[in-house]
Amino acid sequence: MTSVPFLHQLMTLPAVIHALLSPDGRWVAFMWYRIHENIDVFLVPADGTQPPVALTHTKEATSLVSWTPDSKAVIVSEDHDGDELERLFRVDLAQPLVMQPLTVDRPPFFLRGGELHPNGRWLFYGANYDFSREETIEPCWIHRHDLQTGEIVTLARPEQPDFAFIDLNKQGTHLIYSRRERHPAGRQFYLLDVEGKEDRKILDFGDSVKVFARWLPDGENIVFTSEATGQGPQEHVSLGVYRVADGQVRWLVDDPMRSLEGFWASPDGLVVVDEVVRANHAATCLDPQTGGERRFLYMQGNLLPIGRAADGWWVGLYYAANAPVELVRFPQDAMSTGDLVSLTHVWQHTQLRSQQLATAEDFTWHSVDGLEMHGWLYRAQPAAKRAIIYIHGGPTSHSENRLNSQIQYFVRRGFNVLDVNYRGSTGYGLKFRQSIKEDGWGGREQQDIATGAQALIERGLAEAGKVGVTGTSYGGYSSWYLITHFPPELIAASAPICGMTDLVVDYQTTRPDLRPYSEEMIGGRPDQVPERYFERSPINFVQDIRGKLLIVQGALDPNVSPENVRQVREKLAQYNIPYELLVFDDEGHGILKPANQEKLYPALADFFEWAMID
């Protein structure tokens, strides 16, 4: 067998991104990364009797949106080179690779969701667009699109922008959808009749309390999580069921000792509860009728069930730092990874073996205020005295024991890597996640990262002047912040990728449905807290940069717009601060195409090597 360079093997190592079990429990549709030149949607029978087949194959990243109610087709979406102006398509299982357009190409709006009615004619989605006036608006309205006549009826008109979630019940009589009308930190859910006759709030536990909800398969009950139960603020997330017939709420999990991060319904009506403890998944199976709950046994790595198939076996995702995400099937009483049966057979697609990939070690340290921090350490072999801190985006997200090709490449190039979970990350409970809002962006969460760099130096994993930082989105913002606020002895080099530089510019140029998130995290709009926006924007401190800087940007990014880079470059020139620039013309928010990553990763490693030369 011909030897293939390690980087190219990483760039062709397949990984499942997202998967949905069909309503009848017989099929799994999933997004597969690095099988084709971009992300595509694939199909595999849940019983594993056939190998996966491609439902789509285009040069664009294709996302799985939903199943049709009859389990005979999926709804998928595509944009153009990451511009996030998505178009919806239908792909029938009987006609793979035939993408039937449902909505317009290159729309002048951002589209959310895509649910097909049982009549096969009505398509429901959200969009920041007024179709009657043919003009873009700030809020995300809920629309019913008649695929036969082309008529688009607006069913709900929220007044404030929101990254809306919509879900259609099994019978096709009602939708539920989210609103964020009263406070940027809150989220309520509404019940909407598909004829547009009824639109009422059903789940509201406070102006600044977040609720998230989904229909159960019976189409009559709604399962939801809430950051409060109606008795005031709490430091944990609770899980309940709402009965549409009488509006009764029944709490299923309300335990301050548990760290719930998500849930989803299996086609048979059971609920998978995703509990995350120190960034490790510990899922349970819950019966919403009886309240009975059963834990899936812990095994090395992460096992994340998505539902129980028609044959009684469970289907889920399994992954670890040295095992790419793949689809597996397993019995309820699975005891170890040996009980997992692969549906995607990832190791057949590569010469790589798990022994060639670095494992993730728990790494803890204390921040400036004594709060314990946790992250994942990847050690270079042979032992190295230089390190890169990888900073995840979000910030409402977390890094976990999961294969990251960028980190694996850095390790192979001789860098220790610390993947940090700073305050504000998920996976450590609600209190830890909310703590970032005490200071707002650019507060103590940046000290969490900086003290991680200091811990690497103190433990002999890096020398002073040989720690670099990089990350995408909020990780890019943090990379900007750290290089402008800390000396090169601690932060020697920074490579921000699609990171905010001026929080005011970012607020003004980002997608309208993302602005409430900035308001929540920073404590208001730029006109309400201008001093905070100024003092937390790295662009105002570029004159203090003493370390090395590489700026990476996607030219089509609608989230953290290229205007951030244009303005910071003017400031850098004003103060004669040297930097390198790498722009990808065919990328949006993040550098995601494998061919582009094969260029980016060596450029990053070369930059850090150069920046850390004595």
Side-chain angles (χ1 to χ4, degrees), residues 102-114:
L102 303 178
T103 58
V104 298
D105 192 22
R106 301 181 188 271
F109 53 79
F110 297 106
L111 190 149
R112 294 289 297 149

Side-chain angles (χ1 to χ4, degrees), residues 174-290:
H174 290 83
L175 292 157
I176 55 174
Y177 73 99
S178 63
R179 284 196 185 192
R180 197 192 298 247
E181 299 282 52
R182 302 197 306 274
H183 193 284
R187 186 192 301 119
Q188 295 78 40
F189 264 75
Y190 283 64
L191 182 69
L192 178 63
D193 178 82
V194 296
E195 299 283 355
K197 299 175 182 177
E198 178 187 34
D199 181 16
R200 62 184 175 92
K201 183 169 53 183
I202 57 171
L203 294 170
D204 180 5
F205 296 92
D207 291 358
S208 59
V209 173
K210 285 189 181 68
V211 177
F212 186 77
R214 301 178 191 269
W215 285 103
L216 284 172
D218 62 14
E220 300 173 354
N221 292 278
I222 298 165
V223 63
F224 68 95
T225 51
S226 174
E227 297 173 349
T229 59
Q231 291 130 14
Q234 61 186 39
E235 295 181 350
H236 66 282
V237 173
S238 301
L239 179 80
V241 170
Y242 176 90
R243 190 164 62 192
V244 173
D246 57 12
Q248 180 182 356
V249 170
R250 181 165 47 93
W251 295 103
L252 300 174
V253 181
D254 183 24
D255 185 347
M257 302 304 295
R258 296 185 61 176
S259 178
L260 307 189
E261 291 288 356
F263 68 91
W264 39 91
S266 172
D268 59 4
L270 296 175
V271 175
V272 176
V273 180
D274 184 21
E275 186 172 356
V276 185
V277 182
R278 288 179 68 82
N280 286 293
H281 293 277
T284 63
C285 166
L286 187 148
D287 186 329
Q289 294 185 345
T290 66

